[in-house]
Each structure stands twice: as C-alpha cells, then as structure tokens.
Amino acid sequence: KGRDFHIRILLPVDFQLKNASIECSWHLKKILHGYGHILKQRLHSCPDLLSFMVELKTILEIALKNTPDLHVPRPPEYYSCLVRDLEILGWDKVAYVDTGLATIKLKAEDSCGRQHLITLKLNAKYPKDPPDCLVDFPVEFAISWMPQNSLTDIYHQFLTALESLKEFWDAMDEIDGKTWVLEPENPTRGATSRRIAIGNNVSVNIEVDPRHPNMLPECYFLGAEHVVNPLRIKLNNNMHLWDPELSLLQNLKDLLEIDFPSCAVLEKSDFAKDCGICYAYRLNGTTPDQVCDDPRCGQPFHQACLYEWLQGLPSSRQSFNVIFGECPYCNK
C-alpha cells in the first residue's frame, strides 16, 4: 500500500529471536491490534530476523486491508456547506484554516477591544454533527447545536459568552496592569488565579470566581509569619467592608489597608528576590515562596530547594509531610 512504518526489535541477552520484543509507533500498534498472538507465534517459529521481517510484512498488509483508513475523505457536500457557511459569516472573522478544511480558528473582539480566538475542529458529518470548540475561557463553553445550525450560530454564542465574562476580564486586566503579578508569568484568559506582590518577599495568591468576579476571592498569603499575620487579621476584620460596586483591586486595597507595588513605578527586582539556595528566581516555573520567619533574615527559598536542603541536614526532623530545620542563611 506504499506506507512506511518504523519498528524496533529488542533482542534479549541470549540473542534468541523467540524472546525478542517489538516497539513501534501508536499508529502501527493500532493497526496491528488483534494480531499480537500471530506475531508471537511467528517470532517463535522464524529461524532468523530476515524471515520474520517477511512474515511481519505479510501480517501488516493483511491488517491494513482489514483496517478502515483513518483519513476518510470527506464528501463534497461537507466542503460546499463549509465554504458557504464561511462566506455568510465573513472571511474577515477567520484567523486560520488548515489545508484539509478540518480545523478553523475564528477571531472576535469583545466590547472592551480584547482579541479572542475560538478553534473549531469539524468532523466529516458537519453540519449534522457539531464541531468541537476550543476556547481560552475560565469556564466551560458548551454550544447548543441543531443540524440546521451553521458557523454563524456558533460565532454568536461565542460573542455572548465573551460578554458574560467581561467583568472577570476587566478585574484581571486591572490587576495585571496596575500590580506586579509574580505568577503566572504570562497569564492566559482562562487563568483565574494571580499571585500579587505586596512587599519584600510578601505576596498574596487570589483565586477569583469568574462568574462573580466582584465578590471576595479566596486569598492565601505567602511570606514570613510576622508580616503575613497582620494582613490576615486585617482581611478578617475588614471583610464586612467589601463593596461589590468597587473593583476587585480597590476592595483588596481597602480591606488590607495597603497599596500594592505598581509596575509603573517599581521594578520587579525591588521586591522579587532570588532563592537563597539555587540563586535563581524562577525554577521549573515556580518562584521563591518559602520565607525565613526571622525578621532580621527574611530570605526566600523555592519550596523544592528548601525541602532538598533540609532533608540533607542531620539536625532536621520530619513529621509526616512537614520537615523542620534551620534556615540555610541565618541558622535560625
């Protein structure tokens, strides 16, 4: 059938072909599914590698004849219907089309001018079956679909979903634009958490509800206990002051009675210090979030670095999954 496949035959220590094992791609494995017992039988009975390869080729050709082709050509109606739908929708809304006309990316702008993409993966039965829709949303995006629907219907549902998430993206954009976000480094539109710098080695991790972005988010403080504790107390004491009419960022400022470091005024290096063990700021995507509790030290470490360091100390002790030991910097 003119198809090429790569396989690897691993011989055991004794070089006996009957005890060999075969490795191949998932595609070939799928084709040979159900022929395993025949392959084993041929491995046992073939005198040498060359004769086994001839047998394998025969088995593979039989398997290919009995395997429905994975790349089924789509009917002409599929293409005519799809092109008609794209014409009605407008080519200006198309960001990408693959050569097989099976994957399409549509672009849209919300009322605040933010650009968004929706990826549609169509199967051969379109428009009878709906396409799979992939979006960068913080919530699930499910389309309602009838066989008479078209790409225009999906596009309108996409626009409606964009407007329903407007307040969430407004809140996140304000945080991204006016504070120093330590993590994630490049937040996607679907990311609901932000770790925001408060001061030197002190930050707060917030988890925002995309459906209710102006409500109090989950807050988790990171830093030395003597700095973090007063912030926790302020948050608990001022919780009743939360005003849904104000922005998420303004509410956090009011409750914590602080001003967050601004990326317009301060550099990241002013409060983001490197790990005291590996001397790097970012390690496998994480930043230093473990801080020495001694007020005179306050050195930050990556959790992984600190755990490995403390495990190697004879003076440290472990209780279940918590390890106790001395600070690598100040020995407290």
Side-chain angles (χ1 to χ4, degrees):
K1 286 203 166 187
R3 305 273 288 275
D4 282 326
F5 297 99
H6 290 116
I7 68 159
R8 177 187 289 159
I9 296 172
L10 302 172
L11 291 169
V13 184
D14 59 6
F15 291 105
Q16 293 292 308
L17 193 61
K18 62 179 181 182
N19 297 322
S21 57
I22 301 169
E23 289 181 0
C24 62
S25 67
W26 67 270
H27 188 207
L28 181 56
K29 195 174 180 182
K30 196 172 180 181
I31 294 165
L32 291 173
H33 181 69
Y35 293 87
H37 63 290
I38 301 170
L39 282 173
K40 277 183 187 172
Q41 188 189 352
R42 295 293 188 273
L43 268 176
H44 273 264
S45 58
C46 285
D48 54 41
L49 193 56
L50 188 64
S51 55
F52 171 70
M53 290 304 291
V54 173
E55 294 278 6
L56 175 62
K57 194 179 162 199
T58 309
I59 294 165
L60 183 51
E61 282 174 351
I62 294 164
L64 277 169
K65 277 178 193 164
N66 297 332
T67 305
D69 198 350
L70 300 175
H71 304 286
V72 181
R74 298 176 182 224
E77 305 82 59
Y78 167 86
Y79 297 105
S80 58
C81 179
L82 182 57
V83 171
R84 186 189 68 235
D85 282 359
L86 286 168
E87 299 252 321
I88 295 166
L89 178 65
W91 288 98
D92 58 316
K93 296 178 178 70
V94 178
Y96 166 83
V97 181
D98 73 339
T99 51
L101 288 181
T103 302
I104 295 165
K105 288 184 183 179
L106 303 176
K107 56 187 176 184
E109 204 174 87
D110 63 24
S111 56
C112 291
R114 288 178 285 248
Q115 295 286 333
H116 302 270
L117 286 175
I118 178 168
T119 302
L120 308 175
K121 293 191 177 291
L122 299 101
N123 66 33
K125 291 182 181 174
Y126 175 85
K128 191 180 168 189
D129 290 352
D132 291 329
C133 301
L134 307 169
V135 289
D136 186 8
F137 279 7
V139 293
E140 191 184 350
F141 175 65
I143 59 163
S144 57
W145 184 264
M146 302 284 282
Q148 64 268 27
N149 285 146
S150 68
L151 296 184
T152 307
D153 297 295
I154 292 178
Y155 194 75
H156 287 318
Q157 291 178 48
F158 180 51
L159 290 176
T160 306
L162 291 181
E163 288 314 301
S164 72
L165 290 163
K166 177 189 172 298
E167 283 188 357
F168 168 74
W169 285 321
D170 285 348
M172 294 317 228
D173 281 356
E174 188 186 13
I175 287 167
D176 293 340
K178 294 184 178 176
T179 70
W180 267 115
V181 174
L182 302 177
E183 289 178 282
E185 200 170 14
N186 298 303
T188 61
R189 286 284 172 210
T192 55
S193 68
R194 296 287 190 277
R195 185 176 155 210
I196 311 166
I198 294 174
N200 208 356
N201 303 323
V202 190
S203 57
V204 61
N205 201 81
I206 62 165
E207 183 68 43
V208 183
D209 181 351
R211 294 290 185 207
H212 309 284
N214 289 336
M215 302 305 286
L216 177 65
E218 284 181 44
C219 296
Y220 176 66
F221 295 98
L222 295 136
E225 201 57 35
H226 67 278
V227 184
V228 160
N229 220 29
L231 290 168
R232 280 200 205 105
I233 292 164
K234 278 180 188 172
L235 182 69
N236 290 332
N237 291 348
N238 296 337
M239 218 175 264
H240 64 283
L241 299 173
W242 190 274
D243 184 356
E245 297 301 311
L246 295 175
S247 74
L248 175 65
L249 184 60
Q250 190 57 53
N251 270 311
L252 285 172
K253 285 180 183 177
D254 293 347
L255 264 65
L256 297 173
E257 299 170 18
I258 57 165
D259 264 330
F260 289 98
S262 164
C263 46
V265 181
L266 293 164
E267 291 296 316
K268 203 172 191 175
S269 55
D270 292 337
F271 46 79
K273 281 168 75 178
D274 293 343
C275 169
I277 293 169
C278 73
Y279 301 112
Y281 181 65
R282 200 163 285 280
L283 177 74
N284 298 332
T286 65
T287 56
D289 60 1
Q290 304 295 312
V291 181
C292 175
D293 279 336
D294 191 282
R296 288 167 299 181
C297 178
Q299 175 64 42
F301 306 96
H302 293 116
Q303 186 168 333
C305 294
L306 192 59
Y307 188 78
E308 199 175 319
W309 175 279
L310 292 173
Q311 270 193 320
L313 291 180
S315 58
S316 65
R317 58 188 178 84
Q318 190 159 351
S319 173
F320 297 104
N321 63 336
V322 181
I323 194 162
F324 302 87
E326 294 169 353
C327 169
Y329 244 63
C330 68
N331 294 329
K332 290 286 173 66

